[in-house]
């Protein structure tokens, strides 16, 4: 630890002496078959190639204009294997390229890059220790002593996080902000006004970080942390409105004209890439509109999926499809017009689907005489397990499949990327809701069909 912060003190002195307006990045390729290498920069969704450099005597050099704040670049032969390098505080930076694993390349003589590597190690150690604390707690009996030990361990770790952040912030703002955006303090010791840990997380996750700080403008950690934040919110089951409001609250802390906003929004979109409803549309649409010129390649990949999902939004007509029943009879969704239909995407091999089936059976028995129907769409590949699961789970409604697994034409039509997945369609054939299960499904059916 002492060596690490002594090294950071060296950075402070270097910052005062950089007088050149240019930066020279030299890549030693002596042990590589290639004689050129690329320099990349992260754009919030992917990597843009800044330039390529061909080596003279197996040393490739990049000449860059010095920026007012440090910024993260990446060196490599392709985006699948990159070494991050911070440029901006030193006039000359040298990389000894490890050709077979560029990400392991050494950057000798660069205090800020050595300090960054040290920071990553500290963050990894903290995450490991945090996981150990929770693992010990969850496997122990709930006694007053264990509760007290748990809180004390987290409090000690909180102090370590704050100490790391504060020490780095005094030395170098880029590194300090990297530590800050990775600093989330325990609910057990910092709950304050919050009685609910989910609300605490949603509102306080970024508390230690100043999201409008210019030293975050070129820091890809913004994307990584917003992605993690978004993914966690989706797992807690509070619904899309809660998720959207929480994310919007954090995004409002960032100037919309800044590159930090692009990095943050890119993280949000990456965090919801498996989502197929209004949540994806909300943020992917904004990213596509806002960065159509700067991220044209990313948006070229994003937009077809975005357009397809928009066609499946609540209130729009449900796309029709025709598949075969187990006995070979062709059935179409339009055959059920006039009824409220739950399209249930499932499979015999899907554990969560099978565990949900008793609830679906209960809903069917309760509402089938009120104009409710279910159309089961299986993502099985073999007929025998499909038929057996129908019988074993007593699924007495119509079932169809093309037995193509994840290649199911109906699943593709509805943008299904995980199962179980349900789509509720009203009597006029319009989408009412998606992903309704359990008690939520029952309440929706009661709302539409009445009674219990």
């Amino acid at each position: 630890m002492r060596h690490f912060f002594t090294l950071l003190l060296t950075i402070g002195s270097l910052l005062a002496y950089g007088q050149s307006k240019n930066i020279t990045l030299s890549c030693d390729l002596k042990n590589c078959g290639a004689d050129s290498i690329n320099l990349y920069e992260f754009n919030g969704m992917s990597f843009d190639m800044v330039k390529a450099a061909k080596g003279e005597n197996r040393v490739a050099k990049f000449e860059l204009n010095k920026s007012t704040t440090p910024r993260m670049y990446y060196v490599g032969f392709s985006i699948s294997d990159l070494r991050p390098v911070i440029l901006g505080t030193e006039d000359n930076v040298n990389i000894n390229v490890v050709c077979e694993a560029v990400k392991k390349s050494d950057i000798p003589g660069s205090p800020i890059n050595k300090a960054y590597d040290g920071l990553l190690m500290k963050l990894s150690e903290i995450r490991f220790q945090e996981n150990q604390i929770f693992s010990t707690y969850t496997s122990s009996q709930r006694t007053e002593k264990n509760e007290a030990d748990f809180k004390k361990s987290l409090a000690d770790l909180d102090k370590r996080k704050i100490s790391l952040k504060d020490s780095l912030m005094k030395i170098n703002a880029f590194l300090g902000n990297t530590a800050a955006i990775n600093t989330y303090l325990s609910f057990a010791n910092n709950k304050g006004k919050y009685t609910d840990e989910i609300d605490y997380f949603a509102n306080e996750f970024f508390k230690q970080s100043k999201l409008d700080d210019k030293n975050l403008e070129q820091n890809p950690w913004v994307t990584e942390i917003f992605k993690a934040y978004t993914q966690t919110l989706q797992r807690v089951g509070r619904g899309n409105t809660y998720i959207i409001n929480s994310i919007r609250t954090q995004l409002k802390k960032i100037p919309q004209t800044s590159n930090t906003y692009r990095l943050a929004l890119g993280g949000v979109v990456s965090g919801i890439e498996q989502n197929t409803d209004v949540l994806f549309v909300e943020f992917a649409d904004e990213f596509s509109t806002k960065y159509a010129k700067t991220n044209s390649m990313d948006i070229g990949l994003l937009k077809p999926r975005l357009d397809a999902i928009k066609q499946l939004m609540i209130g729009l007509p449900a796309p029709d499809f025709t598949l075969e029943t187990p006995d070979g009879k062709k059935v179409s969704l339009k055959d059920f017009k006039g009824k409220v239909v739950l399209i249930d995407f499932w499979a015999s091999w899907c554990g969560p689907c099978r565990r949900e089936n008793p609830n679906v059976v209960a809903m069917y028995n309760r509402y089938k005489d009120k104009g409710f129907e279910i159309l089961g769409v299986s993502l099985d590949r073999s007929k025998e397990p499909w038929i057996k699961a129908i019988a074993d789970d007593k699924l007495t409604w119509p079932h169809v499949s093309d037995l193509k697994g994840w290649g199911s034409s109906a699943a593709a039509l509805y943008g299904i990327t995980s199962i179980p997945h349900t789509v509720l369609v009203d009597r006029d054939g319009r989408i009412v809701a998606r992903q309704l299960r359990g008690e939520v499904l029952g309440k929706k059916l009661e709302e539409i069909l009445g009674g219990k």
Side-chain angles (χ1 to χ4, degrees):
M1 177 73 80
R2 181 178 298 172
H3 173 72
F4 179 62
F5 288 113
T6 300
L7 184 61
L8 291 181
L9 289 171
T10 309
I11 296 174
S13 61
L14 287 175
L15 291 176
Y17 293 110
Q19 300 298 323
S20 172
K21 292 183 179 180
N22 298 317
I23 302 168
T24 300
L25 174 63
S26 302
C27 301
D28 189 336
L29 305 175
K30 289 186 177 64
N31 298 317
C32 299
D35 61 356
S36 66
I37 197 165
N38 304 323
L39 186 69
Y40 300 89
E41 197 163 17
F42 188 67
N43 63 25
M45 289 287 285
S46 61
F47 294 90
D48 292 328
M49 192 171 83
V50 178
K51 57 175 71 176
K54 192 167 185 178
E56 293 184 15
N57 298 319
R58 294 288 184 180
V59 177
K61 292 187 177 183
F62 298 95
E63 297 291 336
L64 301 165
N65 294 327
K66 187 173 283 188
S67 59
T68 55
T69 58
R71 59 197 298 168
M72 185 83 78
Y73 290 91
Y74 295 82
V75 169
F77 302 108
S78 71
I79 61 173
S80 62
D81 183 21
L82 298 173
R83 176 39 157 122
V85 53
I86 301 171
L87 301 176
T89 65
E90 300 149 348
D91 294 341
N92 298 285
V93 176
N94 302 304
I95 300 181
N96 295 325
V97 178
V98 178
C99 313
E100 64 276 10
V102 178
K103 65 180 66 174
K104 296 181 180 179
S105 299
D106 185 33
I107 309 179
S110 171
I112 192 170
N113 282 287
K114 192 167 183 63
Y116 177 72
D117 291 344
L119 171 59
L120 296 187
M121 289 181 63
K122 296 295 179 186
L123 292 174
S124 180
E125 289 170 8
I126 287 171
R127 281 193 293 271
F128 177 79
Q129 187 177 348
E130 195 163 43
N131 288 336
Q132 290 290 98
I133 292 170
F134 277 96
S135 178
T136 300
Y137 177 68
T138 54
S139 62
S140 66
Q141 292 183 336
R142 295 295 183 270
T143 65
E144 286 188 14
K145 183 180 184 306
N146 288 340
E147 291 280 350
D149 289 345
F150 173 65
K151 287 188 67 175
K152 184 181 184 307
S153 296
L154 287 179
D156 291 342
L157 194 61
D158 286 342
K159 290 177 183 177
R160 186 179 172 193
K161 292 176 183 179
I162 292 294
S163 176
L164 177 63
K165 180 205 72 167
D166 290 347
S167 299
L168 286 167
M169 200 67 80
K170 292 175 184 177
I171 304 300
N172 180 274
F174 185 92
L175 295 174
N177 276 282
T178 301
I181 204 168
N182 277 280
T183 300
Y184 173 65
L185 303 182
S186 64
F187 172 69
N189 294 291
N190 301 277
K191 61 179 67 176
K193 64 181 181 180
Y194 299 99
T195 57
D196 182 278
E197 187 167 1
I198 296 172
D199 287 341
Y200 171 78
F201 171 87
N203 290 282
E204 304 295 327
F205 185 75
F206 294 98
K207 184 177 181 179
Q208 300 301 316
S209 180
K210 290 185 65 177
L211 294 175
D212 60 349
D213 194 303
K214 288 188 177 296
N215 285 282
L216 285 174
E217 289 261 6
Q218 304 297 334
N219 194 328
W221 273 103
V222 174
T223 300
E224 287 300 312
I225 300 303
F226 265 89
K227 179 179 179 180
Y229 176 74
T230 302
Q231 289 175 329
T232 302
L233 285 176
Q234 289 176 92
R235 287 196 292 267
V236 299
R238 287 289 177 88
N240 286 339
T241 300
Y242 185 89
I243 296 171
I244 290 170
N245 290 340
S246 298
I247 293 172
R248 286 291 176 204
T249 297
Q250 304 308 321
L251 289 176
K252 284 178 182 177
K253 299 175 183 178
I254 308 171
Q256 287 205 13
T257 56
S258 69
N259 194 60
T260 308
Y261 193 88
R262 177 167 67 153
L263 293 175
L265 190 59
V268 173
V269 174
S270 297
I272 56 177
E273 62 183 356
Q274 296 303 316
N275 202 290
T276 56
D277 58 16
V278 66
L279 187 58
F280 181 84
V281 173
E282 170 82 13
F283 296 104
D285 206 19
E286 181 185 359
F287 194 93
S288 297
T289 302
K290 203 173 186 67
Y291 305 112
K293 293 181 180 179
T294 55
N295 289 65
S296 57
M297 186 175 296
D298 302 310
I299 290 166
L301 298 172
L302 196 65
K303 205 163 188 315
R305 182 162 174 257
L306 181 59
D307 291 342
I309 291 173
K310 280 183 176 181
Q311 294 177 17
L312 299 172
M313 292 286 286
I314 292 170
L316 295 178
D320 189 35
F321 58 88
T322 302
L323 293 174
E324 291 187 359
T325 63
D327 59 5
K329 179 183 176 183
K330 289 187 177 181
V331 172
S332 301
L333 176 62
K334 65 182 180 182
D335 297 339
F336 302 95
K337 195 163 185 180
K339 291 190 173 185
V340 174
V341 182
L342 183 74
I343 309 172
D344 183 20
F345 292 92
W346 73 297
S348 65
W349 46 260
C350 169
C353 304
R354 302 293 296 274
R355 288 191 291 273
E356 175 66 11
N357 276 342
N359 178 67
V360 183
V361 169
M363 292 300 106
Y364 186 63
N365 291 336
R366 185 179 301 170
Y367 291 103
K368 64 181 180 180
D369 294 333
K370 293 178 177 285
F372 176 55
E373 189 57 270
I374 299 175
L375 180 59
V377 181
S378 170
L379 272 62
D380 277 281
R381 285 188 172 276
S382 300
K383 181 182 277 191
E384 289 74 17
W386 174 36
I387 295 173
K388 186 176 186 303
I390 293 172
D392 289 349
D393 293 0
K394 298 178 174 57
L395 312 181
T396 58
W397 50 82
H399 292 271
V400 294
S401 179
D402 53 14
L403 298 176
K404 293 181 179 179
W406 286 109
S408 164
S409 58
L413 184 64
Y414 279 78
I416 305 301
T417 57
S418 64
I419 53 175
H421 191 113
T422 59
V423 180
L424 189 63
V425 180
D426 68 13
R427 293 183 176 90
D428 296 322
R430 294 183 177 275
I431 297 173
V432 176
R434 296 178 71 117
Q435 283 293 56
L436 296 183
R437 293 195 291 274
E439 187 178 328
V440 179
L441 173 60
K443 287 182 178 179
K444 191 65 177 179
L445 291 175
E446 182 181 346
E447 175 190 320
I448 296 172
L449 298 167
K452 288 194 175 183

